[in-house]
Amino acid sequence: MAPRWKSGDGRRRLLLLLCCSLLAFPCHCQVTNVSHRSDQGIHSFVGTYGINYGRIADNLPAPEDVVRLLKLARIRNVKIYDAEHKVLDAFRGSGLNLVVAIPNEFLKDMAANPSKAMDWLNENVQPYYPATRIVGITVGNEVLGGGDAGLAEALVGAVANVHDALRMLRLDRRIELSTPHSEGVFANSYPPSACVFRDDLMVYLRPLLDFFSKTGAPFYVNAYPFLAYMSDPSHIDINYALFKPNAGIVDPKTGLHYDNMFEAQLDAAYFALEAAGYPGMEVRVAETGWASAGDATEAGAGLANAITYNRNLRKRLFLRKGTPYRPGRVAKAYIFALFNENLKPGPTTERHYGLFKPDGSVSINIGLKGLVPSSAPPPPSSPMALFKDQMA
């Protein structure tokens, strides 16, 4: 059994975005022998909507029931935070796209010893692929900007060794390799056109971005308008964070108008990539969501706002359109999260991001079907016709 990885670790780093930079350590790792992905490579994401299946709880349905729930909800893209074998077995033959993960605690050993990467693949991928449709592997989660320079340096070496192991197994063109980042990798993000990466992190980001630009993998970012609003509710219009009608903002440099924070966060990442020399790289959201309950100090948390954000985000993603700055790049996102997770540490919000309750009933009602009938209040306005194109 693979160790359980704390899903969403470090999301609150967004609140530390403007803190002092950590000391950069030289990185001597290089990603070599990169396989360039052709247009015929694996499609790691179907449509525009996916979900994170975290399991830091002691009351969740069996993985086989989770697969049934995902099919009822018509969600085809799923991301987990480890490579739990019971989950991999349950997804076998399901046809669902599954992204598995190498937790942070494995990175240093994997960077120091290439055989560790091969051992991990032989244990967690080879016995299941392709019957279990493993379309991606995330190496670490929110490593950069977290204050651990040793782990940051190990990330580059771990990515290199996992890629080499995939190449030796002839899976490098079939399984996408990536690593999700927090907003903490940016020196600033407002206005979007001013966004750049932190100088002290470029020693690690440069080889990673070089690698991903060659393989065709997206830049994955965890983007939470909720956390941004919670950090500064007196200066951020909650309607702007919730996709509700509002005046929006105009980027003074580009003149582009933004009527929601989600698109502004995506474009901020696009501007940072362009400034770093990677204008063609896609940005994809690895996590986004809104907590349905929280402590008194957690502004904006609550069921009504969670319903509104998740409903409007889903409608936005199903439009299959880009952002103001990248209109040709269709926005794609993994929602956080599938379930409320009762064992997650931290404030109340950490345990209340789930669209579903542990019994499989609906927690945040946006029109999805659960395993059992739900008493959750209906979405304010959610004609099912809005969601019929999810499987297209």
Side-chain angles (χ1 to χ4, degrees), residues 98-320:
L98 184 65
V99 175
V100 298
I102 300 173
N104 289 358
E105 58 264 29
F106 291 0
L107 300 190
K108 291 182 180 179
D109 282 347
M110 214 167 269
N113 188 346
S115 67
K116 296 288 186 180
M118 182 61 79
D119 290 345
W120 192 91
L121 293 175
N122 283 333
E123 179 181 352
N124 299 298
V125 174
Q126 282 282 78
Y128 302 96
Y129 183 88
T132 297
R133 188 173 167 79
I134 300 171
V135 297
I137 299 172
T138 58
V139 183
N141 185 44
E142 296 190 338
V143 171
L144 302 183
D148 187 337
L151 188 62
E153 185 169 349
L155 174 62
V156 180
V159 166
N161 288 338
V162 174
H163 173 263
D164 286 346
L166 283 171
R167 185 169 50 81
M168 284 187 278
L169 295 172
R170 297 184 178 180
L171 294 176
D172 52 306
R173 295 179 183 271
R174 300 181 180 183
I175 296 177
E176 180 183 88
L177 204 58
S178 62
T179 186
H181 301 285
S182 76
E183 296 267 346
V185 299
F186 304 124
N188 55 284
S189 59
Y190 181 84
S193 63
C195 187
V196 292
F197 291 113
R198 283 168 44 179
D199 285 341
D200 62 310
L201 297 182
M202 285 307 297
V203 67
Y204 314 117
L205 277 167
R206 181 68 65 189
L208 289 172
L209 294 174
D210 282 344
F211 166 72
F212 295 134
S213 68
K214 292 173 182 175
T215 64
F219 178 86
Y220 280 90
V221 63
N222 297 339
Y224 283 88
F226 167 58
L227 293 184
Y229 172 78
M230 187 171 64
S231 69
D232 194 10
S234 61
H235 293 98
I236 296 176
D237 183 355
I238 194 168
N239 294 322
Y240 178 65
L242 291 172
F243 298 91
K244 294 177 72 174
N246 67 97
I249 68 161
V250 175
D251 189 306
K253 180 179 179 181
T254 63
L256 294 173
H257 179 264
Y258 294 89
D259 60 13
N260 67 82
M261 188 183 295
F262 177 79
E263 290 184 355
Q265 289 181 329
L266 261 68
D267 271 354
Y270 276 122
F271 276 106
L273 287 169
E274 184 172 303
Y278 306 91
M281 187 173 291
E282 177 189 357
V283 174
R284 195 174 293 173
V285 176
E287 290 183 16
T288 188
W290 198 288
S292 60
D295 298 325
T297 57
E298 296 182 292
L303 183 57
N305 287 341
I307 291 173
T308 299
Y309 180 78
N310 281 282
R311 174 177 58 92
N312 287 339
L313 173 64
R314 195 161 182 255
K315 283 170 55 179
R316 164 62 182 83
L317 292 173
F318 287 172
L319 292 177
R320 298 174 182 266

Side-chain angles (χ1 to χ4, degrees), residues 11-12 224 226-227 230 238 242 288-296 298-311 335-342 347-358 361-366 374 376-377:
R11 286 199 304 275
R12 290 176 178 270
Y224 283 88
F226 167 58
L227 293 184
M230 187 171 64
I238 194 168
L242 291 172
T288 188
W290 198 288
S292 60
D295 298 325
E298 296 182 292
L303 183 57
N305 287 341
I307 291 173
T308 299
Y309 180 78
N310 281 282
R311 174 177 58 92
I335 310 308
F336 191 86
L338 186 58
F339 294 110
N340 289 331
E341 299 173 71
N342 68 330
T348 299
T349 51
E350 289 294 323
R351 295 176 289 282
H352 290 89
Y353 279 91
L355 298 185
F356 295 93
K357 298 176 183 178
S361 64
V362 171
S363 174
I364 299 173
N365 194 340
I366 59 172
S374 172

Side-chain angles (χ1 to χ4, degrees), residues 46-49 70-77 94-96 314 318 320 386-392:
V46 178
T48 58
Y49 191 87
L70 291 164
K71 289 185 174 182
L72 282 171
R74 303 181 74 184
I75 299 173
R76 298 177 64 183
N77 304 293
S94 68
L96 300 176
R314 195 161 182 255
F318 287 172
R320 298 174 182 266
L386 291 172
F387 308 132
K388 285 183 179 178
D389 64 337
Q390 180 172 358
M391 298 289 284

